[in-house]
Amino acid sequence: MSAPASTRGALLARQSGPGRTSALLPQLVLGLVCGGYAVGAATGWGSAEVALFMGDFGLSAAALAAAVSCFLFARVADPRFRPAWLLFALSSLMASGGNAVWGWYECVRAVRVPSPSLADVFFLCFAPPAIVGLLVLAKRPVTRAGWVCLALDSWLIGGSLLTLSWSLALAHTAHVADIEGDSVARAALSLAYPLLDIVLVSMVLALHFRRSSVNRAAVNTAIAALALTVLCDALFTSPLLRQTYHSGQLLDAGWFAGSLLLAYAPWGAARDADDTARGESGGEREDPAEPRTTSRPIAGSLAALTPYLAAAVCTLGILYNVIEGRRVDRVVVLTGCTVVLALVVRQGIMLLDNIALTQELAQKENHFRSLVQGSSDVIMIAAPSGVLRYVSPAAAGVYGRDADELVGTELSSIIHPDDLGRVVHEVRRFLAAPPGEEPATRIECRFRSGSGDWLNVESTVNRHQGGLLLNSRDVTERVRLQAQLQHNAEHDPLTDLPNRALFTARVRQALSGRRAGDAGTAVLFIDLDGFKAANDRLGHQAGDELLVQAARRLHESVRSGDTAARLGGDEFAALIVGDAGREQDARECQVHEIADRLRLTLSEPYRVGDGEVRVTASIGVAFAEPGITPNDLMRNADLAMYRAKAGGKNRVELYAPQMQADVVRRSELATRLRGALRDGEFALLHQPVVHLATGRVAAVAAQARWRSAQGILFTPAEFLRISEDGDRTAELGRWLLEEAVEQAADRARAGHQAAVSVRLPARRLLDRGFPAGSVEALLTRYGLPSGALMIEVADSDPRVSFDDLEQRLAALRRLGVRIALDGFGSGYAAINALRRLPIDVLKLDRGLVEGVVESARLHKITSGLLRIACDLGMQSVADGVDVPEQVLALRAMGCTHGQGAAFSGPLDEYRLRRALVRGTFPVPAGVPAQPVLTGGVIPSLTRSHGETPVPPT
């Protein structure tokens, strides 16, 4: 399950181009310069003068270059290491000064360099700044024991080197100086050089294993440069070479190379580090999972062996004296004893330190074991091959499988086969990514439990020695909860059918998927006719049970590939997926049959509680067309459904483009209607109500007319049908009532006492926007006398409470307002309203009046209704009296008043006052003709408050 090695190798190979080439160029130049100097020194530079110049001033220039380079780098280096590079610059400056003084004697003055001289002072000042600089660069110990160990290590190395050097050369040098009678200064000088070199070498070796990790390449290069310089110093101080040395020899090449290497160290090594960092940022980062190089383990081993190597060197020095048969020098004995003592002390410190570390490690291990064993998460380590090497004990509680049982098995064997490909792909992608950019990843899949079930497991995956470290937890309950929340978000809580959001998504999928072009894909919108009345009558709990049964019928009636949904309230929908294997006409016929079958199924009686409830279904069908959007298709089905309800309900209606045109027209008219009141486009007309016996004007009926800006005249029935805004309709009703009362008050003050009648729907009388005190306030404001206002109660809405309406009408009667029952004979609730409501006037519907002459049945019905009104002591008004024959027939039946074209159409205020001045309209005289007893055509009873089709005169 690990990424292939070839892939990782290819990633590394791609990054080894221009950056490496740019880093090699300075190194190549450095090598050529040092090699050229070595070749010149080996050949004697061609002449003694050139050899002296290059051996003195050449070395001085190289050391000066190192001093300048270290000084410049110190200005931009990390402030923590700036003193170290300044000290290196000072050390190189001392070496440059010493070589310059040496050249002054040999090249300029052409004399032998005296001993001691100013050059010796410069050379002796070379080592101390370098030693201190190495201490600054070293990784400082954090404890007092660490500082003691550092000092002991330095003395172990320095003491051993001193023992060996004293045994090999220094003792002889001191003895020779004593025999030849050299001065104390010369003797000290001959010993100072090797001793300082020993100290410097000790620091180089001791600090090589303690160097800081910051800018390690530059520090390594600087240590190498100092080591090369010390090596050349050691060779120079040996008796054999010093007797024959002169400037310009091959030994100078070592000093020259050491100076140039120190000059290169800060800049070239820093450039190498930048190239490495760029390579890592581009993808060439070391993978922690890969085995690291052996340099670090070797360095750690050498650091641990340093004390023993130092003791071995010290022993070699003593053995050398013994083998040569020499008397053991006191210096050697004293130094060897201190080295052994330092080794014992250091080992004691290390032993105590190791004991403390062992205890700390044991505590951490116990802590880690407690965390792993007590964790509810399962920790697993998988080898690069995918075999589990370790499984924490939590596996028994999470997976139901013992940890020992899982160890040694393939990780892929416990992953669900459907998830395995995705998991392998994610793991390979993760292992191929740079660790710095993506240290961990998260994988969710299904694991096999001990019972054979599949558990949803979420794992945090990290790299571990080329393999994987997985921290897994059981998230089955969370996944189940998420699935339940997702289901709740997409399904109706009452019926468990898909809701509008999921249904819309299914429609979008059907229109955009591979079956988008299939013929016959359709959407059905379904509305239950009569559900609101049943819900109000039986209660919401019974209504919910009815909806559940309707949803069950709908779900069982559609095919498995189709979708049934509840959109809200009593509205349902169905998506019928098309069939590419059938013709368009055949599929449309099949969908229509499905819709009609659904209508019949949903219209069957429902068993709710102890009784049966009957509702019907109106269904709108819209077929998908090329390029149609889901919203447009659902809108078309909705329009077809509303057309089915408007056409008589309990029917199936197919969408036609004309429906959308009607909607647009109604929307435009409704928009214009909203501004009609504000723009003063409404006018109030009045139609006289005439006494049928005398022709006297008894009252006037107020009617609103809307003359739009386009010059179109709309009757109330027309503009109320296009206005679906209840607030606008209420505003129009308030305007009509106030305008009628104001004009009636003006006419009363002018001497015209005819009452005015205003038609208001029953639900508007109970509307909160029409408070009980509003009528009283109008009558008081305009001073309209009692009995001069009559309100015609219209539209016996079944949702209107008769108790509330009775109380409201009784309150109006106490104000002197007369109450008329409008449209009597056109609704099923008319008799109940006549029985319960306080009615003064009975107003016959024009549907009865139109056929009263031709139809014997309507004649008898109208005669009976008028007899009831007469028996109850009510006046009667016939609406729509258009011909004299109707006047004669109604008067003969006992009808007292009438309005219609037989007398006058709606009049404006000027013509109305002229009619009131006249006072009467002519009425026909004679005996009415009897209707044919065989009956006639029964007029339509569906017209709602039609107006007299006579324009204002």
Side-chain angles (χ1 to χ4, degrees), residues 13 87 93 137 165 272 339 394 523 603:
L87 289 170
L93 186 61
L137 285 179
S165 300
D272 291 342
V339 168
V523 169
S603 300

Side-chain angles (χ1 to χ4, degrees), residues 669-755:
L669 290 178
T671 301
R672 293 205 301 266
L673 177 62
R674 293 187 184 100
L677 281 174
R678 182 184 66 252
D679 298 337
E681 295 180 4
F682 277 95
L684 188 63
L685 304 181
H686 295 82
Q687 188 173 25
V689 178
V690 179
H691 195 283
L692 296 181
T694 63
R696 181 177 55 83
V697 177
V700 292
Q703 299 176 8
R705 290 292 189 273
W706 173 29
R707 188 180 299 276
S708 68
Q710 289 76 19
I712 303 175
L713 184 67
F714 296 99
T715 64
E718 292 172 320
F719 61 70
L720 290 179
R721 274 199 301 269
I722 66 172
S723 176
E724 298 179 357
D725 189 347
D727 294 337
R728 295 299 175 184
T729 305
E731 184 179 356
L732 177 61
R734 289 192 294 270
W735 175 86
L736 176 62
L737 179 61
E738 183 174 357
E739 193 74 12
V741 170
E742 181 180 4
Q743 293 187 15
D746 291 341
R747 289 192 298 271
R749 286 190 292 270
H752 306 293
Q753 301 300 325

